[in-house]
Amino acid sequence: MRVSGPLAPALPSILFPALSDGWLSHAARVGGLVDPSSGETVDEALGLLMRAPRSYTGEDVFEIQCHGSPLVLERVLRICLERGCRAARPGEFTLRAFLNGRMDLAQAEAVIDVVRARSNASLDLAVRQLEGRLSRRIDPIRSDLVGLLARVEAMIDFVEEDVPPELDEASIERLEHAQRAVQTLLEGAEQGIVLREGATLAIVGSPNVGKSSIMNALLGLERSIVTPIAGTTRDTVEETLQVRGVPFRTVDTAGITISEDVVERIGVERSRRAIEGADVVLLVLDRSRALSASDTVALEAVSGQSHNGHAARVVVTLNKSDLPDALGRPSFDGLVPTSVVESSTVLEDGMEAIREALEEAALGGERHEFVVANVRHQDALRRCDESLGAVFEGLKSSVPLDLVSFDLRAAVQALGEITGQNVDDELLDRIFREFCIGK
Ligand SMILES: Nc1nc2c(ncn2[C@@H]2O[C@H](COP(=O)(O)OP(=O)(O)OP(=O)(O)O)[C@@H](O)[C@H]2O)c(=O)[nH]1
Ligand SMILES: [Mg+2]
């Protein structure tokens, strides 16, 4: 239980009457937690007083660690409420931390990302944002633009008649530098979304090529049924999978083939739908036999697919590499795989190559060192970039400087929205509504 605000320092001696007064800040103490109205001991608990400003919220904070029983928690909560406390709203502790300058808005938003992270990669990103990585990139760009804005506004005030004022070379270079920095941050935007939200992977191919075996090998558990009988997987099997920290919603599909069997036909139809819904397709071919009619149908299904208008990236694996090669390098007729690898689930060979290829396909290339994963931040960066573009347009066509200053101010404001220099209550409300109570 955490209490923040002016009532916090009074609580230790009320709740722990047996302990001597004089609670030191940041020193935990253990004792009987007593209900002051009845004098009854509720639990044996730890109390921790943290004096402002060295606390999460920046206010005086008292934290109680009792045994996890909901009954105990309820009683402690009731005692605190009777002493004038009120229940925290979702994210209120973090909101106060932001309002008291303990963290900026991007850091505050990272708190919820840490709580919600579904993969190592997204947790990593959230923690780095919490540490202030994004803010440290944004702040210098913004303060440079603020300096330039001051300069432009001074020029407006001192403009001489008939002499069109011009921005000096050095200032223009600084503007260009700022825009490049913003664009660099935007470069990893797509990766940021993938790392945060994950990608959908469909494992497809003709029957019996080893799709389910590969799915199991990637998962490290026997999720899908594997047998020598073609047509073992008759329906899609879904599982979440982490590949090098990237979350994949993975779908093992029924082998694609031309079939008269009703059940099989439905399975194939579902496989096709899985391909349509995928960001990444892993096409499995059996290297130990020549390309069959079913392989061709599978290849066509993968080539013809498109997902929300943009095609999924395709990784091909030539499986059963432990057996003699009867396939060679097939021509993929119009299909351009991002990688072609070889694998053998029997020898457990090539799984790293598949993982690497899947990661690259999902991220659309090499992993950026730092990416902006929050859509709100990306939107603000885009607006900043656009406004800076308008500034350059304006300078080139010698529009009045007050118009230039208008665009420059918009760029500064967009960056300020990320770290929280310019935010209104409505936006704060929207951000912190997403939080859970107690954060
Ligand atoms: N030699 C060899 N056999 C393999 C390999 N991978 C899978 N197999 C075998 O191939 C057969 C089919 O494997 P599955 O993983 O069920 O193949 P699938 O593509 O899921 O098959 P369907 O679900 O029927 O479409 C099984 O007998 C596997 O043991 C491999 O790398 N080498
Ligand atoms: Mg299968």
Side-chain angles (χ1 to χ4, degrees), residues 142 145-146 148-154 156-157 175 383-384 387-388 390-391 401-417 422:
R142 183 175 177 274
L145 290 179
V146 169
L148 288 164
L149 180 61
R151 196 182 188 89
V152 171
E153 300 208 319
I156 298 171
D157 292 340
L175 271 174
R383 279 184 285 119
C384 176
S387 297
L388 289 176
V391 168
L401 272 184
D402 42 357
L403 290 181
V404 173
S405 106
F406 177 85
D407 289 321
L408 193 48
R409 184 177 293 278
V412 169
Q413 262 174 3
L415 289 185
E417 281 173 29
N422 329 86

Side-chain angles (χ1 to χ4, degrees), residues 12 16 18-24 27-31 45-49 62:
F16 295 91
L19 297 180
S20 60
D21 267 353
W23 284 66
L24 292 175
R29 299 177 82 188
V30 67
L46 272 179
L48 176 60
L49 181 67
F62 186 55

Side-chain angles (χ1 to χ4, degrees), residues 21-319:
D21 267 353
W23 284 66
L24 292 175
S25 184
H26 293 82
R29 299 177 82 188
V30 67
L33 197 157
V34 172
D35 184 343
S37 55
S38 64
E40 240 175 273
T41 301
V42 177
D43 192 9
E44 167 132 321
L46 272 179
L48 176 60
L49 181 67
M50 285 172 279
R51 287 287 192 173
R54 286 179 54 222
S55 72
Y56 185 71
T57 55
E59 304 168 337
D60 286 328
V61 166
F62 186 55
E63 286 187 7
I64 305 152
Q65 292 183 30
C66 33
H67 295 99
S69 150
L71 259 169
V72 171
L73 288 170
E74 209 182 289
R75 283 179 81 173
V76 180
L77 178 63
R78 187 177 44 74
I79 297 166
C80 291
L81 294 176
E82 279 168 9
R83 299 278 140 179
C85 299
R86 70 160 171 78
R89 288 188 277 267
E92 188 170 2
F93 291 111
T94 308
L95 174 62
R96 288 191 186 193
F98 165 66
L99 293 175
N100 291 324
R102 293 291 290 172
M103 52 175 80
D104 65 36
L105 194 56
Q107 287 174 300
E109 287 172 291
V111 172
I112 189 165
D113 289 343
V114 169
V115 175
R116 293 219 180 127
R118 284 189 295 141
S119 71
N120 290 328
S122 56
L123 177 61
D124 214 45
L125 267 179
V127 171
R128 283 198 259 173
Q129 193 178 314
L130 182 61
E131 287 170 348
R133 274 284 275 270
L134 176 61
S135 316
R136 280 201 295 280
R137 300 229 178 172
I138 300 289
D139 287 339
I141 309 174
R142 183 175 177 274
S143 59
D144 208 30
L145 290 179
V146 169
L148 288 164
L149 180 61
R151 196 182 188 89
V152 171
E153 300 208 319
M155 287 167 67
I156 298 171
D157 292 340
F158 293 104
V159 69
E160 284 175 42
E161 298 287 319
D162 307 332
V163 190
E166 268 195 38
L167 207 57
D168 58 297
E169 209 39 54
S171 300
I172 291 182
E173 262 173 40
R174 273 165 66 194
L175 271 174
E176 284 167 350
H177 181 78
Q179 192 178 30
R180 267 200 306 279
V182 169
Q183 288 170 347
T184 306
L185 280 171
L186 275 170
E187 266 167 26
E190 198 195 328
Q191 284 193 4
I193 300 294
V194 173
L195 291 176
R196 200 182 146 109
E197 309 290 335
T200 306
L201 167 68
I203 303 179
V204 301
S206 61
N208 219 34
V209 291
K211 299 178 295 298
S212 300
S213 305
I214 289 174
M215 160 107 147
N216 290 346
L218 290 173
L219 280 170
L221 56 96
E222 301 303 308
R223 173 70 172 86
S224 266
I225 300 168
V226 171
T227 76
I229 304 159
T232 300
T233 310
R234 296 202 134 201
D235 198 354
T236 49
V237 177
E238 297 192 21
E239 193 61 64
T240 48
L241 169 71
Q242 272 200 48
V243 175
R244 299 175 165 221
V246 181
F248 279 95
R249 287 179 299 281
T250 306
V251 191
D252 178 22
T253 61
I256 294 177
T257 181
I258 311 150
S259 171
E260 291 303 315
D261 180 273
V262 186
V263 180
E264 245 173 21
R265 284 224 319 256
I266 295 172
V268 170
E269 194 42 51
R270 293 206 173 153
S271 302
R272 287 180 191 279
R273 249 183 281 142
I275 294 171
E276 277 165 23
D279 301 306
V280 179
V281 170
L282 177 61
L283 175 67
V284 185
L285 296 172
D286 183 345
R287 209 191 64 143
S288 70
R289 55 170 174 75
L291 214 62
S292 66
S294 296
D295 289 329
T296 310
V297 179
L299 266 164
E300 279 168 8
V302 172
S303 310
Q305 51 84 28
S306 87
H307 172 41
N308 298 336
H310 79 93
R313 300 193 180 98
V314 180
V315 172
V316 177
T317 185
L318 312 177
N319 194 40

